[in-house]
Amino acid sequence: MQVNHVEDFVTHAVIGGAETVDFAVSNSAEFFQILSSTLYKNQKLAMVREVLCNAWDAHIASGRADQYLEVTLNEKLVIRDFGLGIPHSSMGTIYGTYGNSTKTNDGKQTGGFGLGCKAPFAYTDHFEVISSHEGTKTIYALSKSSAEVGGKPGITKLASFPTTESGLSVSINISKSDKNIIDDYIYEIAYF
């Protein structure tokens, strides 16, 4: 994925126009379902690629590019980085906002549109994120359609406790029939 910048998309300026009204995105459960379910042609590949790339970007951002990521695959795919983690106060802004990214205008990292961390929703309705940041480990359940927020995606904090670890772990339940192809995608993406 090529990193783009906001100025790359400005194509017109209207001279003499009185007022410009900007477009917005509907904050509806139906729209989020469409966005989560149809964004990627190959949902399994996108899920693996986006989560792995985000984990590696966390290592780049924290200056730990010499350290391996931890990837396990059994009944779950778990991808763990050893970056800085995400503070609880920023979890909604970073993980819960489509189009918001910490990588905007950063040519060293992949992405920049705030979509990659939502890629597991292309494959599953629920996944788990564990963030270890500045001495606190927090476990979150992410749901594509949460009853608590009217059917829109939601992030629910499950528990929080002290830790000496840092980084982020994303855990996604995997269908037994998908394990081999996901294993192939992990190898292919990690290789490149």
Side-chain angles (χ1 to χ4, degrees):
M1 170 185 277
Q2 180 169 341
V3 178
N4 292 302
H5 304 287
V6 174
E7 59 271 8
D8 294 342
F9 298 103
V10 176
T11 60
H12 293 83
V14 178
I15 298 173
E19 177 184 1
T20 301
V21 178
D22 64 338
F23 279 62
V25 177
S26 173
N27 189 16
S28 71
E30 297 83 7
F31 180 75
F32 283 113
Q33 284 294 327
I34 291 168
L35 191 57
S36 295
S37 301
T38 63
L39 188 59
Y40 301 105
K41 185 175 182 178
N42 183 335
Q43 290 90 356
K44 294 171 196 141
L45 173 61
M47 171 190 62
V48 172
R49 180 189 61 234
E50 298 297 334
V51 176
L52 269 174
C53 287
N54 280 348
W56 186 246
D57 285 345
H59 278 213
I60 292 170
S62 66
R64 296 180 178 145
D66 60 339
Q67 188 172 1
Y68 292 111
L69 301 175
E70 186 176 284
V71 179
T72 57
L73 177 64
N74 43 51
E75 70 277 350
K76 293 182 179 199
L77 169 62
V78 180
I79 299 174
R80 185 185 191 299
D81 69 61
F82 299 91
L84 302 175
I86 299 173
H88 177 68
S89 61
S90 298
M91 190 64 174
T93 305
I94 293 172
Y95 250 85
T97 305
Y98 282 79
N100 186 38
S101 176
T102 60
K103 302 175 192 177
T104 303
N105 298 321
D106 184 342
K108 296 178 186 174
Q109 299 182 64
T110 304
F113 299 105
L115 300 173
C117 63
K118 290 91 171 161
F121 285 143
Y123 178 79
T124 187
D125 291 339
H126 310 282
F127 64 101
E128 181 182 270
V129 173
I130 300 173
S131 178
S132 298
H133 176 77
E134 293 185 354
T136 302
K137 178 181 278 193
T138 308
I139 303 170
Y140 300 94
L142 284 78
S143 299
K144 190 183 336 184
S145 178
S146 178
E148 292 79 9
V149 290
K152 295 182 289 187
I155 302 169
T156 304
K157 178 181 171 182
L158 301 177
S160 189
F161 44 88
T163 186
T164 58
E165 300 174 359
S166 70
L168 199 76
S169 174
V170 178
S171 178
I172 305 156
N173 289 329
I174 299 297
S175 169
K176 189 179 259 190
S177 62
D178 292 335
K179 187 175 177 185
N180 288 339
I181 189 69
I182 289 173
D183 189 47
D184 290 345
Y185 289 149
I186 292 167
Y187 177 78
E188 179 182 322
I189 293 162
Y191 181 78
F192 290 110

